[in-house]
Amino acid sequence: MASDSSDPDCTLSVCVLASGSKGNAIHIGDGRTHILVDAGLSGIEIQRRMAAANLDIEKLNAIVVSHEHSDHIRGVGVLARRYDLPVYMTRGTATAAAGQLGRIDKLHRFDIGHAFAVDELAIHPFSVSHDARDPAGFTVSRNGRKIGIATDLGIATGMVKQHLKACELLVLEANHDPLMLKNGPYPWPLKQRIQSRNGHLSNQDSRDLLGEIKHDGLCHVILAHLSETNNTPEKALQSIQEAVGGEDRFELHVACQERCSDLVVLR
Ligand SMILES: [Zn+2]
Ligand SMILES: [Zn+2]
């Protein structure tokens, strides 16, 4: 059978199963290959959310892990063992996460800056500034179409912007409203950590980043990793809309913690 790498019907779809400090997981598929980027809910909860979104967990091909924080890896070990899945992560993440993952039979280590493939999906990990051992953001490409994922980063470096250019869909962190964080209940050291270069992007950081990287081919922006304490979906949307010009045609979505988002399909 001929390869369908130029198949014009090939569609990429994205469903954020959960997003926030209590757990993150993003399902990406092209109709044939299906991956999770992070699995930070319990295995059973990921099963439940995939079923709710009409996604067949038996069809998963791999789990790709961004970094070792528990809100990104909680379900990785269980799912990898239950569904015999390969797991991709950096060496640093594998070392830092070892105690939390349990046995992983098919562990694939990738290097930041070096693309790898899960079947037809090309995955390009790039460096992000975050307080983890060797954390990654990703682009996932298929047939010349590209999705960018950048959550858990304190600043958007030139490298991050470079990778996120020309994506049709972006999953972008909008973690906190700076005033809510400042006046909120978190202890001072935690507030400092969140605002630091190794913490999380605020709504305003995200707005500025989007203002720089948006382009005519951008169709969807999913705001992600919103703090339940220091942000609201309304505040995030309001800030981000400041980056949206009259001629921009992309759709804005907000991913949430308690349920999966709508399936977004790139046609
Ligand atoms: Zn996180
Ligand atoms: Zn993190």
Side-chain angles (χ1 to χ4, degrees):
M1 201 171 84
S3 159
D4 75 341
S5 61
S6 59
D7 179 358
D9 294 330
C10 157
T11 54
L12 277 169
S13 68
V14 175
C15 181
V16 181
L17 300 176
S19 189
S21 60
K22 294 183 192 146
N24 297 271
I26 305 172
H27 181 279
I28 298 175
D30 69 356
R32 178 182 294 188
T33 306
H34 307 88
I35 63 170
L36 287 181
V37 174
D38 293 330
L41 303 168
S42 68
I44 197 84
E45 184 61 16
I46 287 183
Q47 279 179 294
R48 201 185 66 72
R49 293 204 188 189
M50 284 187 64
N54 272 327
L55 298 166
D56 185 353
I57 200 161
E58 302 277 353
K59 289 188 177 163
L60 274 181
N61 297 88
I63 303 174
V64 179
V65 177
S66 64
H67 66 295
E68 71 271 20
H69 290 159
S70 59
D71 58 318
H72 297 261
I73 64 166
R74 195 170 287 118
V76 170
V78 169
L79 292 176
R81 288 186 288 279
R82 188 171 299 158
Y83 297 100
D84 193 29
L85 292 170
V87 179
Y88 293 78
M89 61 180 76
T90 62
R91 250 165 253 282
T93 301
T95 304
Q100 302 173 70
L101 292 176
R103 195 191 79 247
I104 303 279
D105 289 332
K106 298 176 183 169
L107 180 59
H108 297 257
R109 294 176 184 86
F110 63 76
D111 292 318
I112 298 285
H114 293 267
F116 58 94
V118 177
D119 296 329
E120 301 276 344
L121 296 178
I123 299 164
H124 207 128
F126 56 89
S127 179
V128 290
S129 176
H130 190 55
D131 54 357
R133 189 75 70 89
D134 192 13
F138 301 102
T139 61
V140 179
S141 317
R142 169 80 160 88
N143 213 13
R145 317 186 72 177
K146 188 162 77 153
I147 291 166
I149 300 170
T151 69
D152 298 75
L153 67 169
I155 51 163
T157 59
M159 177 72 79
V160 168
K161 291 171 196 166
Q162 194 58 39
H163 280 274
L164 296 182
K165 275 181 183 161
C167 290
E168 288 181 49
L169 182 151
L170 291 169
V171 181
L172 210 56
E173 170 158 65
N175 178 259
H176 57 277
D177 171 76
L179 258 186
M180 283 181 77
L181 178 66
K182 180 167 175 260
N183 298 325
Y186 280 9
W188 176 239
L190 182 55
K191 289 182 183 182
Q192 274 182 312
R193 187 223 140 207
I194 291 168
Q195 297 179 86
S196 77
R197 290 175 64 86
N198 293 319
H200 293 275
L201 293 185
S202 70
N203 296 340
Q204 281 73 356
D205 294 332
S206 199
R207 173 198 65 199
D208 294 346
L209 171 59
L210 186 61
E212 283 192 62
I213 60 175
K214 67 180 183 174
H215 60 103
D216 288 347
L218 180 62
C219 302
H220 297 275
V221 176
I222 304 176
L223 303 178
H225 219 300
L226 270 70
S227 167
E228 292 183 300
T229 307
N230 304 307
N231 208 355
T232 65
E234 294 73 25
K235 279 191 187 295
L237 279 170
Q238 196 179 21
S239 300
I240 300 302
Q241 258 148 4
E242 291 169 20
V244 180
E247 71 288 0
D248 292 325
R249 288 173 301 142
F250 57 82
E251 276 183 51
L252 269 175
H253 314 255
V254 183
C256 76
Q257 187 72 83
E258 300 306 332
R259 56 186 159 72
C260 45
S261 67
D262 293 338
L263 187 78
V264 179
V265 180
L266 292 179
R267 299 192 185 280

